[in-house]
Structures are given as structure tokens and as C-alpha cells.
Amino acid sequence: MSPARPLLLALLLAGCDAEEPGYSPTKSSTADTAAGPPADDARTGDGGLYAVVSLVQRACVDCHSATPSEAGVDALAAYGQGAAPIHFDPAVFCETMAAEDMIDFDRIEDGLLYSRLAQLEQPMPPDGPLSSTELRVVRDWIDGGALCSSAVGAVAYREQCAGCHGTEGEGMTAPALGLVLDGHDQDTVSDIILNGTGDMPPVAVDAALADELAHYVVDAWGR
């Protein structure tokens, strides 16, 4: 094992209440460039995944329930787009977005997700169209490649980790994730989340959620 490996493991997802030796919580994630990948090669976040999932939770889940029998919106063919998946909760969001015709990268307006949100005659959600700012959230996410490693992980990260590591992984009272995730795979990160390491205590999640968190942070800030 490389001599640097134990230090990286100790730093990874460090606890909020303890500072690692030599770590200054006032530094930005780009200040200590010697400790991480070059700026043009470092991951900078999740491409807007959390923002679009949050929007979907606010605007879509009441109708597009995870339970088909409760959704009551199985007649989307009437809009001329053909039948569409109705699942939009975080647990199935990424699977839904992978379905054919949901996203069109060449012409964003032609993808089912964006076209239904943007059209005004029969707006979705039905109580009124989204604002231009909300539509920009969706468009920016698609423009950025529609990263969708784990919508569940994106939500859990904001609830469990962002208070210390920052909403964009930039580091606050705990290290910037882009500086400490280099070389770590999902299984290793999941184990650290569950069991802690060094000064970091275990995160209060079960094994399934630890896997979702690990998938999300490795895809967003690992290399």
C-alpha cells in the first residue's frame, strides 16, 4: 500500500467536529492544489443532479407517484408524445431518465421531460407552468450531460454530508471531496461511510443508503 493511502482514507469524509492535521477549514477546495488533481481535471460537482431532483420532488411527485395506481396520469399519449414512465421519486429517477425519448441531447426541446415541462397549453405540473428559472435548472442539467449516478445519493448527501463538506463538495469544516476521493472506489467509500475512519465517525445510514451515497460522491468528485 502506498504511504499516502492511510492519510487519504483518514481524510475521506472527515467528521464535522474534528480537523485533520494541517487542514484549514477556511481554505477553499482549490487553495491546496498540490493535494489534488489539476483544476481542469478535478470534478466540481454533480452537474445539477440534486437541483433537478429537488425540482422533481416539489413539482412532479404528487402526480407522478412511485405507485402507479396512485399516479392517475397514465394518459400522456394524449399530449402527442406517447406513453411515458410515471415514476419520478428519487429511488427510480435515474432509471426513468434513461428511458427512450425522455431526454434529447441534440434538441433539448424534443425530449419528453423538457417538452412537457416547458409547454404551456397543458402545463406540468397542472396547477401552473414552471418558472423560467426552474426550467433553466432542467436545461442546465441536460446541457451538462444529465449526470444521474444516484438521485437517492444526491438527496442523502445534502442531508447527511453537505453541512461539513459543502453543497458542491468544496469543503467547509471537513475536507473538499475533490482532494480526498482520488483513487477510491465505491466499495471503499461505502465502507468508510458505514464504519468511519480515523477521526470520522460512522454516518447514520444503512448499508443500502451508504452504497447510494458512495455511488454519488465517487461519480461527482472522484476520478
Side-chain angles (χ1 to χ4, degrees):
M1 177 181 291
S2 166
R5 183 82 172 204
L7 175 60
L8 286 172
L9 289 174
L11 285 173
L12 180 64
L13 300 173
C16 294
D17 298 327
E19 292 180 14
E20 294 293 333
Y23 173 68
S24 170
T26 61
K27 288 184 179 181
S28 70
S29 61
T30 59
D32 190 8
T33 55
D40 59 356
D41 193 34
R43 299 287 183 90
T44 58
D46 66 2
L49 174 58
Y50 175 77
V52 77
V53 170
S54 296
L55 174 61
V56 162
Q57 285 184 302
R58 294 195 308 271
C60 308
V61 170
D62 283 349
C63 292
H64 291 270
S65 167
T67 305
S69 62
E70 296 175 359
V73 288
D74 56 357
L76 293 181
Y79 299 128
Q81 296 284 359
I86 61 175
H87 302 304
F88 280 107
D89 74 315
V92 294
F93 178 78
C94 290
E95 179 181 350
T96 302
M97 291 302 101
E100 185 177 3
D101 298 329
M102 287 302 294
I103 295 173
D104 190 320
F105 290 104
D106 295 323
R107 284 180 52 85
I108 291 177
E109 296 81 0
D110 290 344
L112 179 58
L113 173 67
Y114 190 85
S115 65
R116 282 293 294 115
L117 290 172
Q119 62 94 30
L120 300 177
E121 290 77 14
Q122 294 172 302
M124 187 174 76
D127 57 354
L130 298 182
S131 68
S132 59
T133 300
E134 290 171 320
L135 287 174
R136 173 56 62 181
V137 167
V138 180
R139 191 177 193 99
D140 286 349
W141 174 66
I142 297 172
D143 274 336
L147 176 68
C148 212
S149 58
S150 172
V152 171
V155 173
Y157 177 83
R158 292 299 177 107
E159 295 173 349
Q160 299 283 348
C161 313
C164 297
H165 290 286
T167 57
E168 295 299 326
E170 71 274 21
M172 294 174 65
T173 58
L177 293 178
L179 302 180
V180 297
L181 279 170
D182 188 18
H184 295 298
D185 62 20
Q186 181 179 329
D187 289 341
T188 300
V189 176
S190 180
D191 182 71
I192 292 171
I193 290 169
L194 275 177
N195 301 305
T197 183
D199 291 325
M200 175 192 162
V203 181
V205 296
D206 60 21
L209 189 51
D211 285 344
E212 295 286 356
L213 266 170
H215 191 185
Y216 172 74
V217 299
V218 169
D219 204 38
W221 294 288
R223 284 204 305 158

